Amino acid sequence: MYILLPLLMLLCAGIGFGQQAPDITPDPATPERWNLFYQATSIGDYHGTFRSPYQGAFSLQDRSERDVSLTTTLFLGFRLGSTQFYIDPEIAGGRGFSGVNGIANSPNGELPRVASATPKPYLARAYFTQDFGFGDERENFTSDENQLAGSRPMTRYSVTAGRFTVTDFFDNNKYSHDPRTQFMGWAVMYNGAWDYPADTRGYTWGWVHEFHTKRWSLRYGSAAEPKVANGLRFDRRLLRDRGDMVEGELHYSPGGHAGAIRLMGSWLHTESGSYAEALQLSEATHTRPDVTATRQVGRLKYGTGINIEQEIAKDIGVFGRLGWNDGKTESFAFTAMDRLATGGVSVTGTRWKRPNDTAATELTVGGISGVHASYLAHGGFDFLIGDGALQYGPEYAWESYYSARLFPGFFSTIDVQHVANPGYNQDRGPVWIYSLRLHIEYGK
């Protein structure tokens, strides 16, 4: 029965299924002045029982769970002179397994950790981008979500400011970046070891500077952090608490097959706690360690990540990410992960005469630092994991999906995930997770 719920929710949205985003070839002389796109995505998830000798306040529950999520988004773009503006109102709702607790690589990237499952409207994005061009060469763009058709200078310096998610600009990957159409796991859609600045829903306020050329680009971003871990309100002390990111990107085409490599560094200043200090305080007071009791303004978490994508045939691509952060500071805005290795392959359906279908599989290995593991083993909690005890082991998540375009603008996906050592705990699991995703997209 739960598998039918996503379809019913999408039908209630009242959107015409027979339409799709147009493939517009831009005319540089007449750039698109405005566009409007819509998407709706619903995901039904299920997991059964699994081995669980004990559980804590932030554990994945060992009973069967069935949950559904829903997001709907309008993407409005318009151009005033040489400045592009984008405004995206959104509605999101639904429940995740165990309150979206218990798995660091959470299985549904469409689900934020909000208090209510009732769908609620909010402003997802409201930002502008201004280009400053160099030279006469131009780069053409088709009409898409948050992208106006037309041309931009090939060599350009761009400034973007407003409300957005920093993943709009950083850690992109052709084969794994969008849980609405690709992999759903948190730590495979983005780099799980990058505790990127965001509120509970994944958005923030900030700015991004980018210098772009034909083969490489360099970008810097600075954005607001939440006041508390997994919070909706932002810390306004931006001179002390904020997230800074730098990324270099290089494109190449060995044998005529496109590829890219991206190297990112992050410096995240938050009013957060220290795992080591929490353990010391616990020993002195003979209480359970609590990282929130050691919070201080401007505490630094730094990390790095590498991101690779490579086409190996016209219909086959491979990708991978590696991530690391210092592992000393409280998990704060994304997920509880200090180490990451992920890799996978994506195949379009051209070979079986289904060019709009995709079959893909990947393996994600997540880990935490020694002091982080000790904190959890002594009964500490992060904001989304904590079994009250821990027999540490890396969290392994294998995910595979098949996405089929049933008709223009409407896609259905079957997704299977196998998670070993959920929450880095060898005493619990493994658990199988089955999902059905329905996705509508429309544009004009």
Side-chain angles (χ1 to χ4, degrees):
M1 178 63 184
Y2 85 98
I3 292 178
L4 298 177
L5 290 177
L7 180 58
L8 294 174
M9 296 175 78
L10 288 176
L11 289 172
C12 290
I15 300 301
F17 289 156
Q19 305 179 71
Q20 64 174 336
D23 184 9
I24 299 173
T25 302
D27 179 359
T30 56
E32 188 175 43
R33 298 304 303 269
W34 68 276
N35 65 15
L36 181 66
F37 285 78
Y38 174 84
Q39 78 82 29
T41 304
S42 186
I43 301 175
D45 298 313
Y46 167 81
H47 80 79
T49 59
F50 58 91
R51 181 172 62 94
S52 176
Y54 56 86
Q55 59 187 31
F58 292 88
S59 294
L60 181 69
Q61 301 299 302
D62 60 0
R63 55 180 170 79
S64 297
E65 293 185 278
R66 297 172 174 83
D67 293 299
V68 177
S69 67
L70 172 69
T71 64
T72 64
T73 314
L74 282 175
F75 303 89
L76 172 62
F78 59 94
R79 192 190 309 268
L80 294 178
S82 60
T83 306
Q84 300 179 39
F85 294 85
Y86 299 99
I87 301 174
D88 301 350
E90 189 166 75
I91 297 174
R95 292 188 183 278
F97 294 150
S98 309
V100 197
N101 291 324
I103 303 178
N105 183 14
S106 193
N108 185 344
E110 280 287 87
L111 270 174
R113 296 189 73 258
V114 294
S116 173
T118 304
K120 292 184 178 180
Y122 56 92
L123 184 64
R125 297 176 181 86
Y127 66 90
F128 71 87
T129 297
Q130 176 67 54
D131 292 334
F132 302 91
F134 303 91
D136 297 328
E137 190 174 7
R138 309 285 293 185
E139 180 178 12
N140 288 349
F141 291 85
T142 58
S143 187
D144 207 344
E145 297 170 358
N146 296 325
Q147 181 174 284
L148 293 167
S151 70
R152 300 169 69 181
M154 179 65 74
T155 302
R156 61 183 181 269
Y157 165 60
S158 302
V159 179
T160 298
R163 179 171 170 83
F164 48 75
T165 172
V166 293
T167 59
D168 289 340
F169 306 96
F170 294 85
D171 195 40
N172 190 23
N173 193 288
K174 177 180 179 180
Y175 304 107
S176 182
H177 193 68
D178 186 356
R180 293 168 179 169
T181 59
Q182 298 171 321
F183 293 102
M184 302 183 196
W186 284 17
V188 65
M189 65 182 188
Y190 316 133
N191 193 318
W194 175 33
D195 199 9
Y196 67 88
D199 63 12
T200 302
R201 300 189 184 279
Y203 299 98
T204 185
W205 295 86
W207 66 357
V208 176
H209 301 257
E210 180 181 37
F211 187 79
H212 176 91
T213 72
K214 189 172 185 178
R215 292 195 59 196
W216 61 269
S217 58
L218 181 66
R219 60 190 62 90
Y220 161 77
S222 186
E225 293 276 7
K227 294 187 70 173
V228 297
N230 190 51
L232 274 172
R233 299 181 62 187
F234 288 104
D235 192 333
R236 298 182 180 180
R237 298 166 294 188
L238 297 179
L239 295 179
R240 293 180 296 181
D241 294 335
R242 67 184 182 278
D244 295 313
M245 300 135 287
V246 175
E247 183 179 66
E249 178 177 352
L250 176 66
H251 289 262
Y252 47 84
S253 299
H257 296 292
I261 183 170
R262 302 171 183 88
L263 180 63
M264 180 175 60
S266 61
W267 296 264
L268 311 174
H269 303 264
T270 55
E271 186 175 355
S272 53
S274 160
Y275 295 120
E277 292 178 15
L279 286 169
Q280 293 169 3
L281 182 62
S282 171
E283 184 177 359
T285 59
H286 304 288
T287 58
R288 178 183 61 82
D290 180 6
V291 71
T292 67
T294 66
R295 285 176 175 168
Q296 67 180 42
V297 172
R299 198 183 291 275
L300 172 66
K301 175 187 284 189
Y302 54 92
T304 187
I306 188 169
N307 175 336
I308 299 173
E309 64 182 62
Q310 180 62 60
E311 180 186 84
I312 59 176
K314 290 302 180 183
D315 57 348
I316 302 175
V318 295
F319 70 94
R321 285 184 177 96
L322 296 173
W324 175 92
N325 69 59
D326 59 57
K328 301 175 183 178
T329 305
E330 178 184 4
S331 300
F332 206 74
F334 183 29
T335 191
M337 190 172 291
D338 305 323
R339 314 286 185 260
L340 172 81
T342 185
V345 58
S346 180
V347 182
T348 59
T350 305
R351 294 172 187 252
W352 54 93
K353 304 186 186 304
R354 298 278 301 178
N356 296 296
D357 291 5
T358 303
T361 189
E362 65 82 28
L363 175 67
T364 298
V365 182
I368 53 178
S369 66
V371 68
H372 194 169
S374 180
Y375 169 78
L376 294 173
H378 284 82
F381 300 133
D382 280 313
F383 68 84
L384 82 168
I385 62 171
D387 297 326
L390 183 71
Q391 181 65 30
Y392 175 73
E395 185 181 86
Y396 297 93
W398 167 68
E399 180 179 359
S400 299
Y401 73 85
Y402 187 94
S403 174
R405 191 182 79 161
L406 302 184
F407 40 86
F410 183 48
F411 298 80
S412 178
T413 302
I414 296 174
D415 183 279
V416 179
Q417 299 179 52
H418 179 266
V419 181
N421 306 333
Y424 312 107
N425 197 342
Q426 296 183 73
D427 289 340
R428 308 182 78 244
V431 58
W432 285 93
I433 299 167
Y434 306 93
S435 301
L436 173 65
R437 176 177 61 200
L438 302 176
H439 173 73
I440 297 170
E441 55 188 41
Y442 166 78
K444 60 183 297 182

